[in-house]
Amino acid sequence: MSSPEQWTRPQSGAGSAATAAQPSPEQVIAGLRATTEGGAELTQLLTPEGERLPSPQFDPYLTDVDAETLRGLYRDMVLVRRADRECNAMQRQGQLGIWVPLLGQEAAQVGSGRALQPQDMAFPSYREHGVAYTRGVDFTELLGIFRCTDHSQWDFAGHRFHPYTIVIGNQVLNAAGYAMGQKFEGKVGEEPDAEATICYFGDGATSQGDVHEGFVWAAVYDAPLVFFCQNNQWAISEPTERQSRLPLYQRARGYGFPGIRVDGNDVLACLAVTRWALEECRRGNGPVLIEAYTYRMDAHTTTDDPTRYRLSDELEAWKLKDPIERVRVHLSRSGGADQDYFDEVQAEADRFAAELRGFCFAMPDPPPERLFSSVYSEPSPQLDAQREEYLAYHAGFADGGHR
C-alpha cells in the first residue's frame, strides 16, 4: 500500500472483511502523502531540486561516479526518452501496432541497467526499453516486436538480456530458474566474475501468483536474484493501494530476504542500490527485492486512456520530480555541464529519433512463411505440414480469389 501505515482490521460485528476493512481518514491522508513522498524509508541520493544527499550506506557504491559519469547517465536518459516519444508517435501514425511507454521511469531503468556487470543476466517485462539500451540492444531491434514482425531478434546470450515477456509476471519464474542454475553451477561467491540475475516487473505483477512463486523458489535456494519492482503507482487502471495493505518492498520480509524502497526517479540512488543488491546476490547471500518508487507519466500502453482513472493534478505533482530534470539541475549547479552540453545531447537525441523513424518506415513486411520460423529448434514434420497448408491457402488470395 502507498500508506506507511497498515489499514485497520475490522472490528467484531462490523460486517464482512470485504467491506469493513477500510482505511481510516487519517490513513487515507497518509497514503496520499506517501504517494507523493515515498514514505520515511525511501532511499534518495538526489532530490527533485538537484541536491546531492550523503548516504553512509550507499555512497561507497558511487565512488566511481564523477561529473563525466553523471553526464553519461543524463545522456542515456535523454536518448531513451526521446526514442520512447518517437515510438509513441509512430504508433499513433500507424507504423507500430502498439507501444508501451516508459515516460517517467528513465532513472529506474538506466540506473539499474548501468549497475549490471557484463556477466549478469536481465529478465525484462515489456516496458524495459531503457534497460535494453544499457545492455547494448539496438533500439531498432525493439521495433519488430511492436510492429509485429518478429519476437525479439537480438542476441539474448550476447547481450545478457532475455526477450520481452508479455504474460504478466511470468518472467519472474524464468529468472528464478536461471538464477538457481547460477547457484547450482557455482557461479556465485567472492570471485570477480561471479554472476547475478535481475528481474523487472511492475507493481501490478505483484498480484500475480508467478511472482510469489518466484519469491519462494529464490528464497529457498538462495538464488542470486534481484527482484526489481518498478512501482509506477498504476497497474493499468488500479492504484497500488488497491493491491497491497503494505508498501511492496516490505513483502520481502515474509519470504525471508531483504527489501528496500528507492526513489525510482533518482538515477544515482537506483544505480547505488542496485549495485548493492547485485553484490549481495553475487556473494551468495540470496535474493533482494528493490521497489523503485516512480510514476508512469503516460498511458499503460497506447491502447489505454489514463484520464479515465487518474487525476491531472497527480500527474502535475509528479512532473516536479522528473528524473532527467533533477540531473540537469545538479550538473548545472555543480559546474559539471553547461548549456552547450545540454543542447548537444538534445541534438543527438533528435538525430537518434530520426534514425529510428527512418528505420521503422523502411522495415519490410515479413513473408508469410516467417510465421513458422524459429518455432522449434529442430525441424518438425507437423509444423512443415501446417506451413505448406497455410502457404497454399495464402496463395489463393494472389489473384483476388479465395480457395
Side-chain angles (χ1 to χ4, degrees), residues 377-398:
S377 59
E378 298 179 355
S380 165
Q382 293 85 357
L383 187 65
D384 291 342
Q386 293 174 12
R387 182 181 63 247
E388 296 307 317
E389 180 181 357
Y390 172 76
L391 291 177
Y393 170 77
H394 188 273
F397 294 92

Side-chain angles (χ1 to χ4, degrees), residues 80-352:
V80 166
R81 175 175 292 187
R82 185 65 182 85
D84 172 75
R85 296 296 82 200
E86 194 67 28
C87 289
N88 203 76
M90 287 192 291
Q91 191 282 330
R92 299 305 191 195
Q93 295 164 359
Q95 295 299 320
L96 299 177
I98 193 173
W99 182 248
V100 185
L102 62 73
L103 184 65
Q105 298 178 223
E106 297 87 359
Q109 296 192 15
V110 168
S112 62
R114 289 301 184 196
L116 293 164
Q117 294 293 326
Q119 70 271 21
D120 295 329
M121 187 67 181
F123 284 77
S125 61
Y126 45 72
R127 198 186 303 274
E128 278 68 56
H129 321 314
V131 183
Y133 174 83
T134 65
R135 297 305 278 170
V137 177
D138 195 299
F139 227 96
T140 60
E141 295 182 285
L142 303 177
L143 294 181
I145 306 171
F146 301 100
R147 195 173 168 93
C148 308
T149 60
D150 60 61
H151 304 285
S152 309
Q153 290 301 298
W154 57 85
D155 180 354
F156 316 134
H159 291 292
R160 308 290 286 169
F161 187 74
H162 194 265
Y164 276 12
T165 302
I166 304 302
V167 179
I168 305 297
N170 182 249
Q171 71 276 13
V172 178
L173 289 177
N174 299 332
Y178 189 92
M180 287 166 59
Q182 290 173 315
K183 179 68 179 294
F184 297 156
E185 293 176 1
K187 295 182 178 180
V188 297
E190 297 297 331
E191 295 78 8
D193 59 348
E195 298 181 9
T197 294
I198 190 168
C199 181
Y200 293 88
F201 52 92
D203 49 293
T206 63
S207 296
Q208 294 290 113
D210 285 2
V211 174
H212 297 277
E213 290 174 24
F215 285 177
V216 170
W217 283 93
V220 168
Y221 286 94
D222 281 331
L225 178 55
V226 175
F227 296 102
F228 196 93
C229 174
Q230 293 180 82
N231 179 4
N232 62 21
Q233 311 299 314
W234 290 96
I236 304 182
S237 59
E238 289 296 332
T240 307
E241 58 262 29
R242 293 288 296 274
Q243 302 178 73
S244 178
R245 292 187 176 187
L246 290 171
L248 298 180
Y249 75 96
Q250 292 187 11
R251 288 186 171 187
R253 189 182 309 165
Y255 298 92
F257 55 84
I260 186 170
R261 173 180 275 187
V262 62
D263 184 345
N265 286 17
D266 177 354
V267 70
L268 287 182
C270 289
L271 175 65
V273 168
T274 307
R275 281 178 169 178
W276 162 78
L278 289 166
E279 185 176 283
E280 286 289 301
C281 290
R282 295 192 199 100
R283 289 179 174 176
N285 294 331
V288 176
L289 170 63
I290 298 174
E291 179 192 357
Y293 202 77
T294 182
Y295 192 80
R296 167 168 58 80
M297 298 297 292
D298 205 343
H300 177 73
T301 71
T302 47
T303 63
D304 172 42
D305 179 9
T307 63
R308 300 181 63 183
Y309 55 80
R310 67 184 188 188
L311 301 176
S312 59
D313 57 349
E314 180 180 298
L315 187 67
E316 292 302 315
W318 276 90
K319 284 182 180 180
L320 300 176
K321 306 175 187 297
D322 185 84
I324 297 178
E325 183 65 17
R326 68 176 68 183
V327 178
R328 189 192 69 80
V329 171
H330 178 74
L331 284 171
S332 296
R333 289 178 176 175
S334 63
D338 55 19
Q339 189 59 47
D340 288 341
Y341 175 77
F342 299 132
D343 292 343
E344 177 185 332
V345 171
Q346 188 58 56
E348 181 184 1
D350 290 339
R351 292 192 298 271
F352 184 45

Side-chain angles (χ1 to χ4, degrees), residues 6-24 27 245:
Q6 189 172 4
W7 283 6
T8 53
R9 302 184 66 83
Q11 301 298 316
S12 176
S16 68
T19 58
Q22 298 293 328
S24 68
Q27 289 167 331
R245 292 187 176 187

